[in-house]
PDB file of all heavy atoms in Angstrom:
ATOM      1  N   ASN A  11       0.809  -1.217   0.000  1.00  0.00           N
ATOM      2  CA  ASN A  11       0.000   0.000   0.000  1.00  0.00           C
ATOM      3  C   ASN A  11       0.846   1.273   0.000  1.00  0.00           C
ATOM      4  O   ASN A  11       0.320   2.364  -0.226  1.00  0.00           O
ATOM      5  CB  ASN A  11      -0.920   0.009   1.225  1.00  0.00           C
ATOM      6  CG  ASN A  11      -1.953  -1.096   1.172  1.00  0.00           C
ATOM      7  OD1 ASN A  11      -2.803  -1.112   0.297  1.00  0.00           O
ATOM      8  ND2 ASN A  11      -1.870  -2.047   2.098  1.00  0.00           N
ATOM      9  N   PHE A  12       2.138   1.137   0.272  1.00  0.00           N
ATOM     10  CA  PHE A  12       3.037   2.296   0.241  1.00  0.00           C
ATOM     11  C   PHE A  12       3.410   2.543  -1.220  1.00  0.00           C
ATOM     12  O   PHE A  12       4.464   2.134  -1.696  1.00  0.00           O
ATOM     13  CB  PHE A  12       4.286   1.998   1.075  1.00  0.00           C
ATOM     14  CG  PHE A  12       5.065   3.230   1.498  1.00  0.00           C
ATOM     15  CD1 PHE A  12       5.876   3.187   2.616  1.00  0.00           C
ATOM     16  CD2 PHE A  12       4.993   4.418   0.790  1.00  0.00           C
ATOM     17  CE1 PHE A  12       6.603   4.293   3.021  1.00  0.00           C
ATOM     18  CE2 PHE A  12       5.702   5.541   1.172  1.00  0.00           C
ATOM     19  CZ  PHE A  12       6.522   5.474   2.303  1.00  0.00           C
ATOM     20  N   ASN A  13       2.544   3.202  -1.968  1.00  0.00           N
ATOM     21  CA  ASN A  13       2.704   3.342  -3.411  1.00  0.00           C
ATOM     22  C   ASN A  13       2.742   4.788  -3.883  1.00  0.00           C
ATOM     23  O   ASN A  13       2.551   5.071  -5.061  1.00  0.00           O
ATOM     24  CB  ASN A  13       1.599   2.582  -4.144  1.00  0.00           C
ATOM     25  CG  ASN A  13       0.209   2.974  -3.672  1.00  0.00           C
ATOM     26  OD1 ASN A  13       0.034   3.975  -2.970  1.00  0.00           O
ATOM     27  ND2 ASN A  13      -0.780   2.181  -4.027  1.00  0.00           N
ATOM     28  N   GLU A  14       2.982   5.730  -2.967  1.00  0.00           N
ATOM     29  CA  GLU A  14       3.181   7.128  -3.366  1.00  0.00           C
ATOM     30  C   GLU A  14       3.916   7.849  -2.241  1.00  0.00           C
ATOM     31  O   GLU A  14       3.944   7.396  -1.095  1.00  0.00           O
ATOM     32  CB  GLU A  14       1.843   7.812  -3.644  1.00  0.00           C
ATOM     33  CG  GLU A  14       0.931   7.906  -2.433  1.00  0.00           C
ATOM     34  CD  GLU A  14      -0.213   8.881  -2.664  1.00  0.00           C
ATOM     35  OE1 GLU A  14       0.040   9.948  -3.266  1.00  0.00           O
ATOM     36  OE2 GLU A  14      -1.344   8.581  -2.246  1.00  0.00           O
ATOM     37  N   GLU A  15       4.516   8.979  -2.584  1.00  0.00           N
ATOM     38  CA  GLU A  15       5.317   9.721  -1.606  1.00  0.00           C
ATOM     39  C   GLU A  15       4.490  10.166  -0.403  1.00  0.00           C
ATOM     40  O   GLU A  15       4.967  10.143   0.735  1.00  0.00           O
ATOM     41  CB  GLU A  15       5.960  10.942  -2.280  1.00  0.00           C
ATOM     42  CG  GLU A  15       7.019  10.625  -3.308  1.00  0.00           C
ATOM     43  CD  GLU A  15       6.464  10.313  -4.687  1.00  0.00           C
ATOM     44  OE1 GLU A  15       5.216  10.204  -4.829  1.00  0.00           O
ATOM     45  OE2 GLU A  15       7.262  10.177  -5.618  1.00  0.00           O
ATOM     46  N   ASN A  16       3.255  10.584  -0.649  1.00  0.00           N
ATOM     47  CA  ASN A  16       2.413  11.096   0.436  1.00  0.00           C
ATOM     48  C   ASN A  16       2.109  10.036   1.497  1.00  0.00           C
ATOM     49  O   ASN A  16       1.778  10.367   2.636  1.00  0.00           O
ATOM     50  CB  ASN A  16       1.100  11.643  -0.129  1.00  0.00           C
ATOM     51  CG  ASN A  16       0.320  12.448   0.881  1.00  0.00           C
ATOM     52  OD1 ASN A  16       0.842  13.381   1.482  1.00  0.00           O
ATOM     53  ND2 ASN A  16      -0.933  12.089   1.087  1.00  0.00           N
ATOM     54  N   ASP A  17       2.238   8.760   1.141  1.00  0.00           N
ATOM     55  CA  ASP A  17       1.985   7.705   2.114  1.00  0.00           C
ATOM     56  C   ASP A  17       2.986   7.749   3.268  1.00  0.00           C
ATOM     57  O   ASP A  17       2.681   7.315   4.380  1.00  0.00           O
ATOM     58  CB  ASP A  17       2.033   6.330   1.446  1.00  0.00           C
ATOM     59  CG  ASP A  17       0.829   6.092   0.545  1.00  0.00           C
ATOM     60  OD1 ASP A  17      -0.144   6.852   0.646  1.00  0.00           O
ATOM     61  OD2 ASP A  17       0.870   5.148  -0.262  1.00  0.00           O
ATOM     62  N   GLY A  18       4.191   8.260   3.006  1.00  0.00           N
ATOM     63  CA  GLY A  18       5.156   8.419   4.098  1.00  0.00           C
ATOM     64  C   GLY A  18       4.616   9.340   5.173  1.00  0.00           C
ATOM     65  O   GLY A  18       4.763   9.071   6.374  1.00  0.00           O
ATOM     66  N   ILE A  19       3.962  10.421   4.744  1.00  0.00           N
ATOM     67  CA  ILE A  19       3.350  11.344   5.700  1.00  0.00           C
ATOM     68  C   ILE A  19       2.233  10.651   6.472  1.00  0.00           C
ATOM     69  O   ILE A  19       2.119  10.795   7.698  1.00  0.00           O
ATOM     70  CB  ILE A  19       2.807  12.584   4.961  1.00  0.00           C
ATOM     71  CG1 ILE A  19       3.960  13.432   4.421  1.00  0.00           C
ATOM     72  CG2 ILE A  19       1.909  13.414   5.877  1.00  0.00           C
ATOM     73  CD1 ILE A  19       3.521  14.639   3.612  1.00  0.00           C
ATOM     74  N   VAL A  20       1.411   9.911   5.758  1.00  0.00           N
ATOM     75  CA  VAL A  20       0.274   9.243   6.400  1.00  0.00           C
ATOM     76  C   VAL A  20       0.754   8.241   7.448  1.00  0.00           C
ATOM     77  O   VAL A  20       0.275   8.238   8.581  1.00  0.00           O
ATOM     78  CB  VAL A  20      -0.601   8.539   5.344  1.00  0.00           C
ATOM     79  CG1 VAL A  20      -1.731   7.763   6.027  1.00  0.00           C
ATOM     80  CG2 VAL A  20      -1.191   9.552   4.378  1.00  0.00           C
ATOM     81  N   TYR A  21       1.725   7.403   7.091  1.00  0.00           N
ATOM     82  CA  TYR A  21       2.160   6.348   7.999  1.00  0.00           C
ATOM     83  C   TYR A  21       2.953   6.906   9.189  1.00  0.00           C
ATOM     84  O   TYR A  21       2.706   6.531  10.340  1.00  0.00           O
ATOM     85  CB  TYR A  21       2.990   5.311   7.248  1.00  0.00           C
ATOM     86  CG  TYR A  21       2.213   4.573   6.183  1.00  0.00           C
ATOM     87  CD1 TYR A  21       2.797   4.226   4.970  1.00  0.00           C
ATOM     88  CD2 TYR A  21       0.877   4.242   6.366  1.00  0.00           C
ATOM     89  CE1 TYR A  21       2.080   3.555   3.984  1.00  0.00           C
ATOM     90  CE2 TYR A  21       0.145   3.586   5.396  1.00  0.00           C
ATOM     91  CZ  TYR A  21       0.757   3.239   4.206  1.00  0.00           C
ATOM     92  OH  TYR A  21       0.031   2.580   3.244  1.00  0.00           O
ATOM     93  N   ALA A  22       3.898   7.794   8.929  1.00  0.00           N
ATOM     94  CA  ALA A  22       4.676   8.369  10.038  1.00  0.00           C
ATOM     95  C   ALA A  22       3.802   9.268  10.906  1.00  0.00           C
ATOM     96  O   ALA A  22       3.937   9.288  12.135  1.00  0.00           O
ATOM     97  CB  ALA A  22       5.866   9.151   9.494  1.00  0.00           C
ATOM     98  N   GLY A  23       2.884  10.005  10.257  1.00  0.00           N
ATOM     99  CA  GLY A  23       1.969  10.834  11.035  1.00  0.00           C
ATOM    100  C   GLY A  23       1.054  10.002  11.911  1.00  0.00           C
ATOM    101  O   GLY A  23       0.808  10.339  13.073  1.00  0.00           O
ATOM    102  N   THR A  24       0.565   8.885  11.381  1.00  0.00           N
ATOM    103  CA  THR A  24      -0.313   8.003  12.159  1.00  0.00           C
ATOM    104  C   THR A  24       0.435   7.377  13.325  1.00  0.00           C
ATOM    105  O   THR A  24      -0.090   7.313  14.449  1.00  0.00           O
ATOM    106  CB  THR A  24      -0.888   6.889  11.260  1.00  0.00           C
ATOM    107  OG1 THR A  24      -1.641   7.489  10.195  1.00  0.00           O
ATOM    108  CG2 THR A  24      -1.793   5.963  12.046  1.00  0.00           C
ATOM    109  N   ALA A  25       1.660   6.905  13.084  1.00  0.00           N
ATOM    110  CA  ALA A  25       2.462   6.327  14.166  1.00  0.00           C
ATOM    111  C   ALA A  25       2.717   7.355  15.261  1.00  0.00           C
ATOM    112  O   ALA A  25       2.627   7.052  16.461  1.00  0.00           O
ATOM    113  CB  ALA A  25       3.790   5.809  13.610  1.00  0.00           C
ATOM    114  N   SER A  26       3.009   8.586  14.867  1.00  0.00           N
ATOM    115  CA  SER A  26       3.272   9.653  15.836  1.00  0.00           C
ATOM    116  C   SER A  26       2.018  10.007  16.631  1.00  0.00           C
ATOM    117  O   SER A  26       2.079  10.254  17.840  1.00  0.00           O
ATOM    118  CB  SER A  26       3.798  10.894  15.111  1.00  0.00           C
ATOM    119  OG  SER A  26       5.005  10.615  14.435  1.00  0.00           O
ATOM    120  N   ILE A  27       0.875  10.027  15.954  1.00  0.00           N
ATOM    121  CA  ILE A  27      -0.379  10.344  16.631  1.00  0.00           C
ATOM    122  C   ILE A  27      -0.751   9.230  17.610  1.00  0.00           C
ATOM    123  O   ILE A  27      -1.240   9.496  18.715  1.00  0.00           O
ATOM    124  CB  ILE A  27      -1.495  10.583  15.600  1.00  0.00           C
ATOM    125  CG1 ILE A  27      -1.240  11.911  14.880  1.00  0.00           C
ATOM    126  CG2 ILE A  27      -2.872  10.584  16.255  1.00  0.00           C
ATOM    127  CD1 ILE A  27      -2.130  12.152  13.690  1.00  0.00           C
ATOM    128  N   GLY A  28      -0.523   7.973  17.226  1.00  0.00           N
ATOM    129  CA  GLY A  28      -0.766   6.865  18.147  1.00  0.00           C
ATOM    130  C   GLY A  28       0.096   6.981  19.390  1.00  0.00           C
ATOM    131  O   GLY A  28      -0.382   6.792  20.526  1.00  0.00           O
ATOM    132  N   PHE A  29       1.361   7.319  19.185  1.00  0.00           N
ATOM    133  CA  PHE A  29       2.283   7.521  20.312  1.00  0.00           C
ATOM    134  C   PHE A  29       1.792   8.667  21.192  1.00  0.00           C
ATOM    135  O   PHE A  29       1.739   8.548  22.421  1.00  0.00           O
ATOM    136  CB  PHE A  29       3.680   7.824  19.774  1.00  0.00           C
ATOM    137  CG  PHE A  29       4.752   7.846  20.815  1.00  0.00           C
ATOM    138  CD1 PHE A  29       5.565   6.731  21.026  1.00  0.00           C
ATOM    139  CD2 PHE A  29       4.968   8.971  21.599  1.00  0.00           C
ATOM    140  CE1 PHE A  29       6.551   6.747  21.985  1.00  0.00           C
ATOM    141  CE2 PHE A  29       5.962   9.005  22.566  1.00  0.00           C
ATOM    142  CZ  PHE A  29       6.764   7.886  22.771  1.00  0.00           C
ATOM    143  N   ALA A  30       1.425   9.794  20.559  1.00  0.00           N
ATOM    144  CA  ALA A  30       0.979  10.966  21.306  1.00  0.00           C
ATOM    145  C   ALA A  30      -0.301  10.684  22.083  1.00  0.00           C
ATOM    146  O   ALA A  30      -0.467  11.132  23.225  1.00  0.00           O
ATOM    147  CB  ALA A  30       0.767  12.136  20.346  1.00  0.00           C
ATOM    148  N   MET A  31      -1.208   9.913  21.478  1.00  0.00           N
ATOM    149  CA  MET A  31      -2.481   9.618  22.136  1.00  0.00           C
ATOM    150  C   MET A  31      -2.263   8.785  23.397  1.00  0.00           C
ATOM    151  O   MET A  31      -2.827   9.087  24.462  1.00  0.00           O
ATOM    152  CB  MET A  31      -3.410   8.884  21.169  1.00  0.00           C
ATOM    153  CG  MET A  31      -4.817   8.657  21.722  1.00  0.00           C
ATOM    154  SD  MET A  31      -5.845   7.639  20.617  1.00  0.00           S
ATOM    155  CE  MET A  31      -5.826   8.626  19.123  1.00  0.00           C
ATOM    156  N   ALA A  32      -1.445   7.737  23.283  1.00  0.00           N
ATOM    157  CA  ALA A  32      -1.182   6.890  24.453  1.00  0.00           C
ATOM    158  C   ALA A  32      -0.475   7.681  25.547  1.00  0.00           C
ATOM    159  O   ALA A  32      -0.823   7.592  26.732  1.00  0.00           O
ATOM    160  CB  ALA A  32      -0.341   5.683  24.032  1.00  0.00           C
ATOM    161  N   GLU A  33       0.527   8.464  25.144  1.00  0.00           N
ATOM    162  CA  GLU A  33       1.256   9.280  26.117  1.00  0.00           C
ATOM    163  C   GLU A  33       0.324  10.295  26.769  1.00  0.00           C
ATOM    164  O   GLU A  33       0.392  10.556  27.976  1.00  0.00           O
ATOM    165  CB  GLU A  33       2.405   9.986  25.399  1.00  0.00           C
ATOM    166  CG  GLU A  33       3.362  10.726  26.327  1.00  0.00           C
ATOM    167  CD  GLU A  33       4.474  11.404  25.553  1.00  0.00           C
ATOM    168  OE1 GLU A  33       4.168  12.315  24.755  1.00  0.00           O
ATOM    169  OE2 GLU A  33       5.649  11.045  25.743  1.00  0.00           O
ATOM    170  N   ASN A  34      -0.578  10.861  25.968  1.00  0.00           N
ATOM    171  CA  ASN A  34      -1.514  11.854  26.479  1.00  0.00           C
ATOM    172  C   ASN A  34      -2.437  11.260  27.541  1.00  0.00           C
ATOM    173  O   ASN A  34      -2.686  11.871  28.589  1.00  0.00           O
ATOM    174  CB  ASN A  34      -2.347  12.400  25.315  1.00  0.00           C
ATOM    175  CG  ASN A  34      -2.855  13.802  25.562  1.00  0.00           C
ATOM    176  OD1 ASN A  34      -2.194  14.580  26.228  1.00  0.00           O
ATOM    177  ND2 ASN A  34      -4.011  14.118  25.028  1.00  0.00           N
ATOM    178  N   LEU A  35      -2.961  10.067  27.272  1.00  0.00           N
ATOM    179  CA  LEU A  35      -3.849   9.413  28.242  1.00  0.00           C
ATOM    180  C   LEU A  35      -3.123   9.117  29.551  1.00  0.00           C
ATOM    181  O   LEU A  35      -3.693   9.273  30.638  1.00  0.00           O
ATOM    182  CB  LEU A  35      -4.404   8.121  27.642  1.00  0.00           C
ATOM    183  CG  LEU A  35      -5.426   8.308  26.500  1.00  0.00           C
ATOM    184  CD1 LEU A  35      -5.737   6.975  25.847  1.00  0.00           C
ATOM    185  CD2 LEU A  35      -6.699   8.966  27.026  1.00  0.00           C
ATOM    186  N   LEU A  36      -1.863   8.720  29.447  1.00  0.00           N
ATOM    187  CA  LEU A  36      -1.082   8.446  30.664  1.00  0.00           C
ATOM    188  C   LEU A  36      -0.869   9.720  31.473  1.00  0.00           C
ATOM    189  O   LEU A  36      -1.018   9.722  32.704  1.00  0.00           O
ATOM    190  CB  LEU A  36       0.263   7.827  30.295  1.00  0.00           C
ATOM    191  CG  LEU A  36       0.220   6.407  29.718  1.00  0.00           C
ATOM    192  CD1 LEU A  36       1.606   5.976  29.243  1.00  0.00           C
ATOM    193  CD2 LEU A  36      -0.303   5.428  30.761  1.00  0.00           C
ATOM    194  N   TYR A  37      -0.548  10.815  30.799  1.00  0.00           N
ATOM    195  CA  TYR A  37      -0.324  12.081  31.509  1.00  0.00           C
ATOM    196  C   TYR A  37      -1.615  12.594  32.134  1.00  0.00           C
ATOM    197  O   TYR A  37      -1.608  13.083  33.271  1.00  0.00           O
ATOM    198  CB  TYR A  37       0.229  13.130  30.541  1.00  0.00           C
ATOM    199  CG  TYR A  37       1.730  13.128  30.429  1.00  0.00           C
ATOM    200  CD1 TYR A  37       2.370  12.515  29.365  1.00  0.00           C
ATOM    201  CD2 TYR A  37       2.524  13.751  31.390  1.00  0.00           C
ATOM    202  CE1 TYR A  37       3.750  12.511  29.248  1.00  0.00           C
ATOM    203  CE2 TYR A  37       3.910  13.762  31.287  1.00  0.00           C
ATOM    204  CZ  TYR A  37       4.513  13.135  30.217  1.00  0.00           C
ATOM    205  OH  TYR A  37       5.880  13.135  30.117  1.00  0.00           O
ATOM    206  N   ILE A  38      -2.717  12.493  31.397  1.00  0.00           N
ATOM    207  CA  ILE A  38      -3.985  12.985  31.930  1.00  0.00           C
ATOM    208  C   ILE A  38      -4.435  12.160  33.130  1.00  0.00           C
ATOM    209  O   ILE A  38      -4.946  12.694  34.122  1.00  0.00           O
ATOM    210  CB  ILE A  38      -5.063  12.973  30.819  1.00  0.00           C
ATOM    211  CG1 ILE A  38      -4.742  14.035  29.779  1.00  0.00           C
ATOM    212  CG2 ILE A  38      -6.444  13.219  31.400  1.00  0.00           C
ATOM    213  CD1 ILE A  38      -5.665  14.027  28.592  1.00  0.00           C
ATOM    214  N   ALA A  39      -4.243  10.840  33.052  1.00  0.00           N
ATOM    215  CA  ALA A  39      -4.612   9.981  34.175  1.00  0.00           C
ATOM    216  C   ALA A  39      -3.824  10.337  35.427  1.00  0.00           C
ATOM    217  O   ALA A  39      -4.319  10.226  36.548  1.00  0.00           O
ATOM    218  CB  ALA A  39      -4.388   8.517  33.797  1.00  0.00           C
ATOM    219  N   GLN A  40      -2.591  10.786  35.218  1.00  0.00           N
ATOM    220  CA  GLN A  40      -1.730  11.092  36.357  1.00  0.00           C
ATOM    221  C   GLN A  40      -1.913  12.513  36.875  1.00  0.00           C
ATOM    222  O   GLN A  40      -1.916  12.745  38.088  1.00  0.00           O
ATOM    223  CB  GLN A  40      -0.266  10.878  35.964  1.00  0.00           C
ATOM    224  CG  GLN A  40       0.716  11.048  37.125  1.00  0.00           C
ATOM    225  CD  GLN A  40       2.136  10.705  36.712  1.00  0.00           C
ATOM    226  OE1 GLN A  40       2.400  10.329  35.566  1.00  0.00           O
ATOM    227  NE2 GLN A  40       3.076  10.832  37.635  1.00  0.00           N
ATOM    228  N   PHE A  41      -2.093  13.484  35.952  1.00  0.00           N
ATOM    229  CA  PHE A  41      -2.062  14.889  36.355  1.00  0.00           C
ATOM    230  C   PHE A  41      -3.389  15.629  36.155  1.00  0.00           C
ATOM    231  O   PHE A  41      -3.527  16.764  36.607  1.00  0.00           O
ATOM    232  CB  PHE A  41      -0.962  15.630  35.578  1.00  0.00           C
ATOM    233  CG  PHE A  41       0.419  15.075  35.842  1.00  0.00           C
ATOM    234  CD1 PHE A  41       1.096  14.379  34.862  1.00  0.00           C
ATOM    235  CD2 PHE A  41       1.032  15.261  37.075  1.00  0.00           C
ATOM    236  CE1 PHE A  41       2.365  13.869  35.084  1.00  0.00           C
ATOM    237  CE2 PHE A  41       2.296  14.762  37.318  1.00  0.00           C
ATOM    238  CZ  PHE A  41       2.966  14.054  36.320  1.00  0.00           C
ATOM    239  N   GLY A  42      -4.352  15.029  35.433  1.00  0.00           N
ATOM    240  CA  GLY A  42      -5.665  15.639  35.366  1.00  0.00           C
ATOM    241  C   GLY A  42      -5.963  16.450  34.115  1.00  0.00           C
ATOM    242  O   GLY A  42      -5.199  16.473  33.150  1.00  0.00           O
ATOM    243  N   ILE A  43      -7.119  17.130  34.173  1.00  0.00           N
ATOM    244  CA  ILE A  43      -7.675  17.825  33.016  1.00  0.00           C
ATOM    245  C   ILE A  43      -6.781  18.963  32.541  1.00  0.00           C
ATOM    246  O   ILE A  43      -6.597  19.154  31.330  1.00  0.00           O
ATOM    247  CB  ILE A  43      -9.073  18.373  33.351  1.00  0.00           C
ATOM    248  CG1 ILE A  43     -10.057  17.207  33.534  1.00  0.00           C
ATOM    249  CG2 ILE A  43      -9.577  19.315  32.269  1.00  0.00           C
ATOM    250  CD1 ILE A  43     -11.430  17.634  33.979  1.00  0.00           C
ATOM    251  N   ALA A  44      -6.213  19.724  33.470  1.00  0.00           N
ATOM    252  CA  ALA A  44      -5.397  20.877  33.070  1.00  0.00           C
ATOM    253  C   ALA A  44      -4.240  20.446  32.181  1.00  0.00           C
ATOM    254  O   ALA A  44      -3.917  21.105  31.182  1.00  0.00           O
ATOM    255  CB  ALA A  44      -4.883  21.606  34.310  1.00  0.00           C
ATOM    256  N   THR A  45      -3.628  19.324  32.526  1.00  0.00           N
ATOM    257  CA  THR A  45      -2.520  18.806  31.712  1.00  0.00           C
ATOM    258  C   THR A  45      -3.017  18.413  30.324  1.00  0.00           C
ATOM    259  O   THR A  45      -2.348  18.670  29.319  1.00  0.00           O
ATOM    260  CB  THR A  45      -1.884  17.589  32.405  1.00  0.00           C
ATOM    261  OG1 THR A  45      -1.319  18.008  33.650  1.00  0.00           O
ATOM    262  CG2 THR A  45      -0.793  16.976  31.546  1.00  0.00           C
ATOM    263  N   GLY A  46      -4.193  17.796  30.256  1.00  0.00           N
ATOM    264  CA  GLY A  46      -4.750  17.418  28.971  1.00  0.00           C
ATOM    265  C   GLY A  46      -5.021  18.621  28.087  1.00  0.00           C
ATOM    266  O   GLY A  46      -4.771  18.588  26.874  1.00  0.00           O
ATOM    267  N   ILE A  47      -5.536  19.694  28.677  1.00  0.00           N
ATOM    268  CA  ILE A  47      -5.813  20.909  27.917  1.00  0.00           C
ATOM    269  C   ILE A  47      -4.509  21.504  27.385  1.00  0.00           C
ATOM    270  O   ILE A  47      -4.419  21.918  26.223  1.00  0.00           O
ATOM    271  CB  ILE A  47      -6.559  21.926  28.795  1.00  0.00           C
ATOM    272  CG1 ILE A  47      -7.942  21.390  29.158  1.00  0.00           C
ATOM    273  CG2 ILE A  47      -6.660  23.275  28.095  1.00  0.00           C
ATOM    274  CD1 ILE A  47      -8.681  22.233  30.176  1.00  0.00           C
ATOM    275  N   MET A  48      -3.496  21.543  28.232  1.00  0.00           N
ATOM    276  CA  MET A  48      -2.210  22.092  27.816  1.00  0.00           C
ATOM    277  C   MET A  48      -1.599  21.274  26.688  1.00  0.00           C
ATOM    278  O   MET A  48      -1.110  21.818  25.689  1.00  0.00           O
ATOM    279  CB  MET A  48      -1.253  22.133  29.017  1.00  0.00           C
ATOM    280  CG  MET A  48       0.145  22.626  28.693  1.00  0.00           C
ATOM    281  SD  MET A  48       0.192  24.391  28.345  1.00  0.00           S
ATOM    282  CE  MET A  48      -0.087  25.043  29.986  1.00  0.00           C
ATOM    283  N   ARG A  49      -1.632  19.974  26.819  1.00  0.00           N
ATOM    284  CA  ARG A  49      -1.021  19.106  25.817  1.00  0.00           C
ATOM    285  C   ARG A  49      -1.777  19.130  24.490  1.00  0.00           C
ATOM    286  O   ARG A  49      -1.200  18.875  23.428  1.00  0.00           O
ATOM    287  CB  ARG A  49      -0.942  17.671  26.354  1.00  0.00           C
ATOM    288  CG  ARG A  49       0.099  17.475  27.443  1.00  0.00           C
ATOM    289  CD  ARG A  49       0.107  16.029  27.942  1.00  0.00           C
ATOM    290  NE  ARG A  49       0.397  15.100  26.859  1.00  0.00           N
ATOM    291  CZ  ARG A  49       1.627  14.801  26.424  1.00  0.00           C
ATOM    292  NH1 ARG A  49       2.679  15.360  26.997  1.00  0.00           N
ATOM    293  NH2 ARG A  49       1.799  13.937  25.450  1.00  0.00           N
ATOM    294  N   ALA A  50      -3.082  19.436  24.546  1.00  0.00           N
ATOM    295  CA  ALA A  50      -3.878  19.473  23.318  1.00  0.00           C
ATOM    296  C   ALA A  50      -3.355  20.500  22.328  1.00  0.00           C
ATOM    297  O   ALA A  50      -3.504  20.332  21.108  1.00  0.00           O
ATOM    298  CB  ALA A  50      -5.338  19.765  23.649  1.00  0.00           C
ATOM    299  N   VAL A  51      -2.746  21.574  22.821  1.00  0.00           N
ATOM    300  CA  VAL A  51      -2.257  22.629  21.929  1.00  0.00           C
ATOM    301  C   VAL A  51      -0.737  22.719  21.906  1.00  0.00           C
ATOM    302  O   VAL A  51      -0.179  23.626  21.285  1.00  0.00           O
ATOM    303  CB  VAL A  51      -2.852  23.999  22.331  1.00  0.00           C
ATOM    304  CG1 VAL A  51      -4.345  24.019  22.099  1.00  0.00           C
ATOM    305  CG2 VAL A  51      -2.537  24.326  23.788  1.00  0.00           C
ATOM    306  N   THR A  52      -0.058  21.792  22.575  1.00  0.00           N
ATOM    307  CA  THR A  52       1.409  21.822  22.573  1.00  0.00           C
ATOM    308  C   THR A  52       1.984  20.466  22.163  1.00  0.00           C
ATOM    309  O   THR A  52       2.501  20.305  21.065  1.00  0.00           O
ATOM    310  CB  THR A  52       1.942  22.233  23.956  1.00  0.00           C
ATOM    311  OG1 THR A  52       1.390  21.363  24.969  1.00  0.00           O
ATOM    312  CG2 THR A  52       1.555  23.667  24.289  1.00  0.00           C
ATOM    313  N   ALA A  53       1.900  19.486  23.056  1.00  0.00           N
ATOM    314  CA  ALA A  53       2.546  18.195  22.805  1.00  0.00           C
ATOM    315  C   ALA A  53       1.906  17.425  21.647  1.00  0.00           C
ATOM    316  O   ALA A  53       2.616  16.758  20.883  1.00  0.00           O
ATOM    317  CB  ALA A  53       2.518  17.343  24.076  1.00  0.00           C
TER     318      ALA A  53
END
């Protein structure tokens, strides 16, 4: 399925978003809503 240049963006972007989502849930579980709000526009 990796048959065009733009697929590199899709796959690396998806992997990064998966990483960010899991990390985000861990931080929010530990530090609460304020941390989640901050990370939504930064991390």
Side-chain angles (χ1 to χ4, degrees):
N11 294 296
F12 199 156
N13 53 13
E14 63 166 320
E15 292 84 353
N16 192 53
D17 289 346
I19 291 177
V20 176
Y21 296 142
T24 300
S26 299
I27 289 170
F29 189 98
M31 186 186 301
E33 188 180 64
N34 207 32
L35 290 171
L36 291 173
Y37 272 100
I38 291 175
Q40 185 175 359
F41 299 110
I43 292 175
T45 297
I47 294 172
M48 177 71 71
R49 288 179 59 83
V51 293
T52 54

